Amino acid sequence: MGWSISHGGTQHGFSYGSVAELRDKLATAAPQESATLTVIFPGSGDPFKISPSNAQKIGDSLHRAADRLRMWDRKWAAMARQIADSALLAAKLGEPWRWS
């Protein structure tokens, strides 16, 4: 099992564990973005949705964090960027960004 993220956030699916590991890597690489990103890295696998305006903020924050993470690990930075792009697409379309 794993997360299904709308708007192309999980083209191949991300396990709960890989999303948790990404959260930890981003917290180390970009601690200044942590407050914005905590909403999308819940401790449980319960579905949730994010408003378009918050998806915009989170997408922007994830892009900044991915830029910092890229210095250490391109694979994890690419995962963060894919999730960020899906958040920004949801915001652009004015649709809720869904995680299930």
Side-chain angles (χ1 to χ4, degrees), residues 28-89:
T28 299
Q32 66 278 18
E33 304 297 341
S34 291
T36 304
L37 299 177
T38 56
V39 69
I40 63 166
F41 296 119
S44 72
D46 294 335
F48 62 95
K49 64 182 176 178
I50 305 288
S51 70
S53 61
N54 283 337
Q56 178 72 47
K57 293 174 191 167
I58 292 167
D60 291 340
S61 186
L62 263 174
H63 269 282
R64 288 189 298 272
D67 288 345
R68 294 184 191 283
L69 184 57
R70 188 179 58 206
M71 292 184 263
W72 293 285
D73 195 324
R74 291 189 182 274
K75 173 187 152 195
W76 290 104
M79 180 181 174
R81 196 163 287 285
Q82 180 180 339
I83 295 171
D85 289 345
S86 72
L88 295 174
L89 179 57

